[in-house]
Amino acid sequence: MADHAQRSTVELKVNGDDQVLYLDHRTTLLDALREHLDLTGSKKGCDHGQCGACTVLVDGRRANACLLLAVAQQGREITTIEGLSTGGELHPVQQAFIDHDGFQCGYCTPGQICSAVAVLDEAERGWPSAVTADVAAADVRLDAAEIRERMSGNLCRCGAYVNIVTAVSAAAKGGA
Amino acid sequence: MKEFGYVRPADAAEAVATTYADANARYLGGGTNLVDLMKLGVETPSLLVDIAGLPLGQIEATDDAGLRIGALASNTDIAVDRLVRDGFPLLSEALLSGASGQLRNTATAGGNLLQRTRCGYFTDISKPCNKRQPGAGCAAKEGEHRNHAILGASTHCVATHPSDFAVALAALDARVEVESPAGTRTLALSDFYLPVGDTPQHEVALEHGELITAILVPAPPDAARSRYRKVRERASYAFAIGSVAAVVVVDDGTIRDVRIAIGAVASMPWRARLAEAALSDVAPSAASFAAAADLELAHARPLRDNTYKIPLVRDLIVATLCELTGVPT
């Protein structure tokens, strides 16, 4: 067996800042964010891509940070919950979660919010979902059924789903 | 997780050469299944060959009105592609019914075909599994097997293939394009997946190091209608307990062409050729669909806790074909 190096340098742009990390290849993006960059907003729930608590945006698209190897994210732009607000102003989806009480214990909330930010963008692009009647239709209307389907990769053990749907719906309509 | 090396090859030829040279190397695409299996200790590669940066993500029309899907196109890329949504909606439906938005953004077409079974004994290294450790035995036969195979299984393994996408591709007669040091070859999806037999560890007809570069989908027949339907135990974000992909052409009150693939019933997407043959040139009706489904399912060998799949798949075939042909269920 060839003798391979077990660590590499990786450059990431995280919430707008360039970061250079020298990491064991086994380090997931989630662990790189939490343990190496002290960005503990992204949460480790199941660590197997099943609960969505680790959801971040990678080059603008939502992904489970627990299943991404950090070394494989060379050059990518990562946005976490800490990067959504601008100059002390909350992102409209963050504000909507507060206004509509879209959480109880709050552990899944950073993942829920990052996921919801991406859902709004995906709907804006007219991307269909499993509950869209005609996948060829150009436009998507984010009704409650669409929001539930599109947010199904984010589990909430407190069961705050009703208010999460209300919050995402409010953010989609442009009002918090 | 065991330690491993990591390389990022410059092109497909270098990726293939690197992987051929190390019997314990694995390609890394989206990694949604592989990285998870590494965490579980099921996969222990010495080297990951990261192909995600290679230019293999294009989705394009072919000269004969078919589709060429690059192996690195993500599930999302494919599902939302305008060519796919307009001309091959079955593929969008299948992809959108699987996983979550996060996973669909990361998982790739090639990896989707190669994903491993979600059998709980395969993913638990403390349990015997012939697929993971040939000769160890199969804990699923007498254990937790509600979602295991009813068709084509053997005494060695009763696991199912979890993909939705592959079921839709089977119904569309897709082919797989593969690169090796000897050059490029293509094989039919029906030849890509191997029968279980006494070698459940050999799932696909690829040599170590061969790289899937694209999936080729021929144009559906003129005037074809198609549909992917999936049954699962919750409304979203769950694997199928039964699914069907159907493509049908009815002309002058007669079925001229029908392709039926069923999912979550076998180690591979199961093409229901007996049912198809029974429906050739007959008038569409719920009774003819049920008779055809029964013919296929007469070969089912259910386990203690999955006999429910027989009526489930039968009803799914009947309902889907009734919907596509406009006859009452």
Side-chain angles (χ1 to χ4, degrees):
Chain A
M1 190 180 78
D3 192 16
H4 304 293
Q6 313 291 327
R7 296 169 73 89
S8 293
T9 299
V10 61
E11 298 157 322
L12 307 172
K13 182 166 266 189
V14 181
N15 297 333
D17 295 332
D18 290 321
Q19 301 284 356
V20 181
L21 298 168
Y22 182 62
L23 297 173
D24 186 304
H25 295 155
R26 294 172 292 184
T27 313
T28 61
L29 176 62
L30 178 62
D31 284 341
L33 294 168
R34 290 180 54 86
E35 309 297 335
H36 296 265
L37 298 174
D38 291 329
L39 292 168
T40 53
S42 307
K43 295 293 187 277
K44 185 179 284 191
C46 70
D47 209 24
H48 289 283
Q50 297 177 4
C51 77
C54 66
T55 302
V56 299
L57 306 178
V58 179
D59 289 343
R61 287 194 183 191
R62 55 183 167 150
N64 300 113
C66 76
L67 288 183
L68 297 174
L69 295 173
V71 67
Q73 309 310 308
Q74 170 64 32
R76 297 192 189 279
E77 292 191 20
I78 314 296
T79 304
T80 70
I81 188 73
E82 291 92 341
L84 287 179
S85 61
T86 44
E89 185 91 359
L90 290 179
H91 187 284
V93 175
Q94 291 176 306
Q95 190 61 51
F97 268 67
I98 293 171
D99 294 345
H100 298 278
D101 226 1
F103 48 85
Q104 286 185 41
C105 83
Y107 194 81
C108 72
T109 310
Q112 298 276 2
I113 289 175
C114 285
S115 199
V117 168
V119 164
L120 301 189
D121 178 56
E122 291 161 12
E124 188 72 23
R125 292 167 189 264
W127 290 0
S129 83
V131 298
T132 308
D134 175 6
V135 294
D139 296 315
V140 170
R141 201 174 66 84
L142 273 188
D143 58 19
E146 284 280 1
I147 291 169
R148 286 196 191 95
E149 164 59 28
R150 289 164 190 263
M151 292 293 291
S152 71
N154 292 84
L155 307 189
C156 169
R157 290 197 66 180
C158 300
Y161 296 113
V162 173
N163 288 357
I164 291 171
V165 171
T166 306
V168 177
S169 180
K173 292 183 180 112
Chain B
M1 200 188 297
K2 296 266 172 59
E3 291 189 305
F4 56 88
Y6 171 87
V7 291
R8 213 177 284 131
D11 53 34
E14 185 185 329
V16 170
T18 305
T19 307
Y20 259 80
D22 184 341
N24 207 16
R26 295 284 184 278
Y27 291 117
L28 175 66
T32 52
N33 190 206
L34 178 62
V35 172
D36 193 30
L37 292 174
M38 288 165 66
K39 290 185 179 194
L40 294 166
V42 175
E43 286 279 359
T44 53
S46 58
L47 178 68
L48 288 187
V49 179
D50 187 353
I51 54 170
L54 301 183
L56 296 173
Q58 290 291 109
I59 301 165
E60 50 206 358
T62 59
D63 292 341
D64 49 2
L67 195 65
R68 186 179 193 283
I69 301 169
L72 289 169
S74 72
N75 287 15
T76 299
D77 292 337
I78 304 164
V80 308
D81 184 88
R82 185 40 73 187
L83 283 173
V84 177
R85 288 160 70 184
D86 288 341
F88 305 81
L90 184 65
L91 296 178
S92 290
E93 291 168 10
L95 285 163
L96 293 169
S97 77
S100 65
Q102 291 93 316
L103 290 166
R104 290 192 295 269
N105 281 342
T106 308
T108 63
N112 192 305
L113 298 186
L114 292 172
Q115 67 179 303
R116 311 300 300 277
T117 184
R118 297 322 197 268
C119 172
Y121 301 104
F122 173 73
T123 55
D124 180 350
I125 59 170
S126 72
K127 299 292 192 299
C129 169
N130 285 324
K131 188 186 282 295
R132 177 163 37 73
Q133 195 183 346
C138 172
K141 271 189 301 183
E142 301 298 328
E144 173 55 52
H145 57 225
R146 268 182 55 75
N147 199 16
H148 284 60
I150 57 170
L151 286 164
S154 78
T155 55
H156 299 274
C157 181
V158 292
T160 54
H161 195 271
S163 174
D164 296 296
F165 184 46
V167 179
L169 290 171
L172 290 168
D173 284 327
R175 299 182 65 80
V176 184
E177 183 189 275
V178 174
E179 183 160 329
S180 73
T184 302
R185 65 179 179 123
T186 68
L187 62 167
L189 193 70
S190 50
D191 297 325
F192 180 79
Y193 291 109
L194 300 174
V196 184
D198 56 3
T199 54
Q201 71 275 25
H202 296 310
E203 296 172 355
V204 296
L206 296 183
E207 282 180 51
H208 174 75
E210 281 194 301
L211 176 67
I212 299 174
T213 48
I215 297 168
L216 308 170
V217 189
D222 287 342
R225 300 193 66 201
S226 70
R227 186 87 160 89
Y228 184 76
R229 286 184 67 169
K230 171 175 178 174
V231 178
R232 41 189 163 177
E233 290 183 327
R234 60 184 181 207
S236 182
Y237 197 20
F239 290 100
I241 55 173
S243 71
V244 62
V247 181
V248 60
V249 180
V250 175
D251 181 38
D252 201 17
T254 303
I255 296 170
R256 301 298 181 195
D257 193 339
V258 62
R259 297 116 183 249
I260 305 164
I262 46 184
V265 293
S267 66
M268 62 180 83
W270 189 265
R271 190 67 184 264
R273 298 205 185 265
L274 296 173
E276 291 175 8
L279 290 171
S280 178
D281 293 322
V282 306
S285 70
S288 60
F289 297 144
D294 285 341
L295 206 59
E296 190 74 38
L297 292 165
H299 295 268
R301 296 289 175 268
L303 302 159
R304 182 193 64 229
D305 291 334
N306 69 0
T307 52
Y308 75 94
K309 285 196 176 189
I310 294 175
L312 185 152
V313 169
R314 178 186 191 269
D315 291 352
L316 195 51
I317 291 173
V318 172
T320 305
L321 292 176
C322 283
E323 179 196 327
L324 288 176
T325 58
V327 301
T329 47

